[in-house]
Amino acid sequence: LYAQGQAFATLDDGMNFTNASLSIISVKTLIVQGDRDMLYPIDISIEMYKAIPHSSLWVISNAGHVPVFGEQMHDLSLIHI
């Protein structure tokens, strides 16, 4: 699965977002990343956070690729954007 996720970076299907394309996002953006995500390294979320104005990054401890379906789901109810 990790290799499959990494392969997305080389696809030429218009889904490769650059810092320039991310920088035009004008709405508040919450980026949620599990710190144990085996598909996408946390560096990707950090890059997105830096590129998107008015964004927030929430790294969930002990969570994988889909942290909203794990034990941390209760924590999502505490978010008010």
Side-chain angles (χ1 to χ4, degrees), residues 58 60-64 66-77:
W58 180 23
I60 301 177
S61 298
N62 300 315
V66 188
V68 297
F69 296 116
E71 296 174 11
Q72 298 81 6
M73 189 162 186
H74 169 73
D75 295 341
L76 292 175
S77 66

Side-chain angles (χ1 to χ4, degrees), residues 13-44:
D13 62 357
M15 294 299 292
N16 293 321
F17 298 108
T18 63
N19 286 351
S21 64
L22 292 172
S23 71
I24 63 172
I25 296 173
S26 60
V27 296
K28 290 181 182 179
T29 304
L30 175 62
I31 301 161
V32 180
Q33 169 89 32
D35 68 349
R36 297 186 181 194
D37 188 330
M38 298 299 290
L39 296 178
Y40 298 100
I42 199 161
D43 295 345
I44 294 172

